[in-house]
Amino acid sequence: EDVGKYGCRADDVAEGIDWAVTNHADVINLSIGGVAGFSLQQAAIERAQSAGIVVVAASGNNGAPGGDGGGDKLWYPAAYAGVIAVGATDSKGVRASYSNYGVSPEDPSRTLDLVAPGGDEDDLEWPFGIVQNTFNDFCSGIRPPAPVNYMEFASCGARGPSPAAPHVS
């Protein structure tokens, strides 16, 4: 079973992308990611792009350079060709230290496309970061591999390229 960093199964993500294609979406936002790509997701993204849909993805949350999945590499799906790779800025408008900024592991000519507001690293008091509507469990601090209820939503603050990508979308 191919599972991304936050417990998103590759086949579920691919199914969601295909649903968006079938239902004539104009833009797909993928605020998900990890150091490895999944062929099911890549194929679904390519189908969306062939249908004329713009695909936007978060660049990753490991801004420190070097190492496996370091900030000097785009995470997937942002690393795929034709996907708009979005990094995060802080309140001063500069790249946030946590935001990946590098190149695609498969294509060194492929780099970060845009940056957008992603929240300050030192914002620890509510409301920190960018306020978003997301899974209630995320707002409560529950993260995979713990079971997450994907049916209940709440608003809370978050920081990173994941809340930056919807600004672009």
Side-chain angles (χ1 to χ4, degrees):
E1 180 175 293
D2 293 331
V3 178
K5 182 176 181 190
Y6 291 105
C8 299
R9 290 175 26 155
D11 58 337
D12 289 341
V13 173
E15 184 177 322
I17 293 168
D18 287 334
W19 182 92
V21 172
T22 300
N23 288 278
H24 311 290
D26 295 317
V27 179
I28 296 172
N29 181 79
L30 296 170
S31 288
I32 59 173
V35 298
F38 299 113
S39 59
L40 285 171
Q41 286 179 1
Q42 183 176 13
I45 288 168
E46 289 170 357
R47 288 190 293 276
Q49 292 167 329
S50 293
I53 298 172
V54 175
V55 180
V56 179
S59 65
N61 298 311
N62 194 21
D68 183 34
D72 53 351
K73 296 180 184 79
L74 295 178
W75 281 4
Y76 292 92
Y80 291 131
V83 173
I84 297 174
V86 179
T89 60
D90 63 17
S91 62
K92 296 173 189 71
V94 298
R95 183 186 63 84
S97 61
Y98 53 75
S99 179
N100 285 30
Y101 57 87
V103 300
S104 167
E106 296 174 15
D107 179 2
S109 68
R110 170 128 179 71
T111 62
L112 194 65
D113 293 300
L114 297 168
V115 292
D120 286 348
E121 186 170 0
D122 58 354
D123 287 341
L124 299 176
E125 299 296 322
W126 173 257
F128 68 86
I130 305 298
V131 177
Q132 65 180 12
N133 191 35
T134 188
F135 304 120
N136 184 55
D137 287 346
F138 178 89
C139 293
S140 300
I142 299 170
R143 306 285 193 276
V148 173
N149 179 345
Y150 296 107
M151 301 305 290
E152 294 182 16
F153 296 87
S155 293
C156 62
R159 351 171 229 263
S162 288
H167 283 277
V168 174
S169 297

